[in-house]
Every structure is written in C-alpha cells, then in structure tokens.
Amino acid sequence: MSNENLAPFFELGKKLRQKDFVERTFGEAISLQQQLLPWYLPTFVEEAITNIANALVEEQLQAFANYNKPSAPKTIGVVPSGVTPLENFYDLFYVLAAGHNYSCKPAPGDKTLLSIMAELLIEIEPSWRERIRFSQSLGRPDAIILDTMADQGDVLHQYLHKFKHILRHSTSSVAILTGDESEQQLQALARDIHLFFGRGERGVAKLYVPCNYDFVPLLHAIHDSSTVIADNNYYLNHLDYQKSIRLMNKLFYMDSGTFLLLESSDLNPALSIVNYQYYGDLTVVTDDIGRNCENIQHVMSEEVLPNINTLPFGTSHIHPLTDYTSNINVFEFLNQLN
C-alpha cells in the first residue's frame, strides 16, 4: 500500500480478529464501560470491535492508498457524540491515514475503549504517540470534526466559522417493506432496529409500509430479536415514559415489548420508538427519501429501487471504512487541507 499510514491499521485489524486477544485486551474495560454508560452493553461493544476488525482488511484499506501527503501535518480536533461504542475510531483512522495529528475531546463513555485502540496503534507504530492526543480542551486545532444535534447547527456554525470544519448532524436509517418479506428477512430488519438500542445514525428509525400492512410478524420479530435489551432498566425507563405519554393522551401505538411503533413521517423519533408511514406506490417513497436524503444514512430494502442506493436487511450497522457518518467524506476533507 503506497500510504505508509495504513500499515499499522492493517496490523491492528489482524489482532482484533483474534478472539482471545480481544478478550484479554478489552475484557475488563468492557465491563467497566457499562457501569459508566448503560448504553454500552458488552455485546454491543463486542459488535463494534468486530465491525472495526472486519473493516481493517487490505481490500478496504486500499481505498485510502492514494493521498496527498501533507508538507506539515495539521492538528485535527475531533468532538464525537459517543452515541454508540467506538464510533469515533473511524475518525481516528481518517485523521491518521491522511497524515495528520489527532486531538480528541472524547465522549465520557468512549474514552477508555478509544484509548485502548490508540495504545494498540502506538505499540505497532511508536512514532504515533506524538500524533494522538486526548484532552478536555482542543486548544487551537487547524480543523475540527464535530458531531452535534441538528438544532444546534446554527449556533455552532457561528463558533466554527473561524476553523475549517465538518459539522455532522443527527441522521437515521429507514426501511422499506412490501409485505412479502420472509421471517428471516424480518428478523434481520429487527436487528437493524434494536442493535445499540436503536441509537446512532445506522439504526432504523422509520419504516415505509404498504397500505393494509400486517404488522404482527414484524412485531414478533422485533420482540424475539431484542431480548438483549429487554432487561436493561435504563432503557426500559425510556420505554415506559413513552408508553405513559401515549396512554395519558389516548394515542394509538403498537408495542413489540421493547419498541413502540407509531404512525408518523418523522425521521428522528425518540428513543424506544420506531415510526412508520403508509404508502400506496413506491414512487411516493422514493420521492420522500429524495427530499430527505441529507437526513438519511441508509435505506434498507430487499427491493431494487431506481435512483436509490439500498442495503439488504440486517446490514445497517456494518460499518465499512468508506461508509461515512452523515455521508460526509471525512478523508477527502482531510486530504485537501493545505
């Protein structure tokens, strides 16, 4: 690979694909993380590590082989949301692969896990100790990558205008059903819904369903697949809160046991809610997705749709290196810094 910054990641990927190595290196941290942040279930952290391991292979790394080596590395300040475990690892990869220095103000829940990943890279490439920094203050970086809520964008733009920056707002994924899905396909979609408690831009938060759609098989699939979150009191408190609101206001909802299904066109429902919208013709769906494409990370469907890139059910949370959050090409941004 012509980009010398990729070799340490290739070596890291080989280590992370060894189950005993992961257990030995991350085991204690994974247990401690759940105490600090209830959203980081051990099974979800392990899922995130597996995704990273499967991404750090030559086939994917090769996409970053050609880059503009900076005459002087820039310092890139990164402020991740920490919504899902190790989501900021990908920014660490982009920054280092582009030849720059990484300065991160980590989310509280992600700090330990991300620090372990950084230390593993430094063991492989000791010179990177000077290129990776964690701090509660970014100082004066040359550029900033920041995750935020959509309604904070205008305020942050006023602060960030003095920096070259990427400001990523919240997105979510949607799924299109036809009513002809098999039980296995619905089980796969249910995984797209419940993994990481449905948090993060890759979680399916809205369904497009045909008129007169039978929800019963889907409700069963969600219930059966999400037992891992069914006894998490922190999550169930959110679920009970959403139920009580609808009961008090006599609003209709469907209950899978772990998620409520509500009829709404909103792309970003509250935690523990999945919205659905009826359609009579798929052209209505494709038009709606086209209008909202900036707010949609993935479109999940078993159908081939014109002018829309879709993924099969069950693959929403697989995270290749070129699957950029909010569909913003971070590596290209970093590669063009002067």
Side-chain angles (χ1 to χ4, degrees):
M1 288 177 280
S2 58
N3 183 345
E4 67 272 16
N5 297 309
L6 300 179
F9 288 102
F10 182 72
E11 293 301 318
L12 176 61
K14 289 195 293 185
K15 290 178 179 290
L16 295 179
R17 286 189 288 277
Q18 301 173 29
K19 185 176 181 181
D20 59 340
F21 175 84
V22 171
E23 291 176 351
R24 187 171 64 251
T25 306
F26 290 91
E28 183 178 357
I30 289 174
S31 298
L32 292 174
Q33 283 300 100
Q34 189 179 1
Q35 298 176 28
L36 178 65
L37 196 63
W39 301 124
Y40 283 23
L41 295 184
T43 184
F44 290 165
V45 177
E46 292 163 4
E47 182 85 20
I49 293 173
T50 298
N51 280 339
I52 292 170
N54 292 337
L56 298 180
V57 295
E58 186 172 3
E59 180 182 0
Q60 292 198 39
L61 291 170
Q62 197 63 37
F64 303 87
N66 298 318
Y67 78 117
N68 298 321
K69 186 174 182 178
S71 56
K74 304 296 189 294
T75 297
I76 312 301
V78 181
V79 185
S81 66
V83 170
T84 60
L86 285 168
E87 65 182 50
N88 188 236
F89 174 84
Y90 294 85
D91 287 331
L92 173 66
F93 167 79
Y94 302 135
V95 171
L96 295 177
H100 297 301
N101 299 325
Y102 175 87
S103 177
C104 179
K105 182 179 179 181
D110 223 13
K111 182 177 181 181
T112 301
L113 297 171
L114 199 57
S115 295
I116 292 174
M117 285 290 192
E119 284 299 323
L120 291 173
L121 286 168
I122 291 168
E123 286 179 14
I124 298 167
E125 180 50 71
S127 66
W128 281 10
R129 187 168 296 279
E130 303 303 317
R131 293 181 57 190
I132 301 173
R133 174 177 174 267
F134 295 97
S135 175
Q136 288 305 303
S137 173
L138 293 180
R140 293 286 301 178
D142 298 295
I144 292 178
I145 301 171
L146 188 147
D147 293 327
T148 184
M149 302 299 290
D151 58 0
Q152 295 176 314
D154 292 341
V155 174
L156 287 168
H157 270 301
Q158 295 176 21
Y159 166 73
L160 292 173
H161 77 278
K162 64 186 77 172
F163 300 100
K164 294 181 179 180
H165 67 273
I166 286 177
L167 182 61
R168 296 183 297 215
H169 66 271
S170 298
T171 60
S172 62
S173 297
V174 302
I176 304 170
L177 296 101
T178 64
D180 296 325
E181 290 77 18
S182 67
E183 181 180 353
Q184 290 75 18
Q185 289 171 333
L186 291 179
Q187 288 284 350
L189 174 59
R191 174 180 166 82
D192 292 332
I193 291 171
H194 89 258
L195 202 62
F196 303 116
F197 295 98
R199 305 171 85 228
E201 66 282 343
R202 289 167 176 79
V204 169
K206 179 180 176 180
L207 311 173
Y208 291 93
V209 298
C211 297
N212 301 318
Y213 178 75
D214 180 7
F215 282 93
V216 173
L218 177 61
L219 289 168
H220 286 318
I222 296 173
H223 177 271
D224 293 343
S225 76
S226 57
T227 54
V228 67
I229 66 176
D231 59 353
N232 185 282
N233 290 330
Y234 197 76
Y235 173 77
L236 292 179
N237 287 338
H238 286 268
L239 179 64
D240 289 341
Y241 174 72
Q242 295 299 333
K243 284 184 185 179
S244 64
I245 290 175
R246 276 137 195 96
L247 287 170
M248 287 189 297
N249 291 282
K250 298 181 180 180
L251 300 174
F252 175 76
Y253 67 87
M254 289 178 278
D255 188 355
S256 73
T258 47
F259 284 88
L260 306 183
L261 270 63
L262 307 178
E263 184 175 2
S264 172
S265 61
D266 186 11
L267 287 167
N268 288 291
L271 182 69
S272 76
I273 290 177
V274 176
N275 287 337
Y276 64 88
Q277 180 177 335
Y278 289 111
Y279 68 85
D281 189 290
L282 278 174
T283 57
V284 176
V285 178
T286 55
D287 289 346
D288 192 53
I289 290 173
R291 287 191 298 270
N292 293 285
C293 60
E294 292 185 357
N295 299 310
I296 296 174
Q297 182 72 26
H298 290 147
V299 178
M300 315 304 297
S301 176
E302 296 297 331
E303 296 292 310
V304 177
L305 300 173
N307 303 318
I308 293 181
N309 293 324
T310 61
L311 295 175
F313 295 156
T315 63
S316 178
H317 290 282
I318 296 174
H319 194 160
L321 294 174
T322 53
D323 181 17
Y324 297 99
T325 299
S326 300
N327 299 307
I328 298 174
N329 191 325
V330 177
F331 187 74
E332 182 179 23
F333 166 79
L334 296 168
N335 212 18
Q336 294 175 352
L337 291 178
N338 296 320

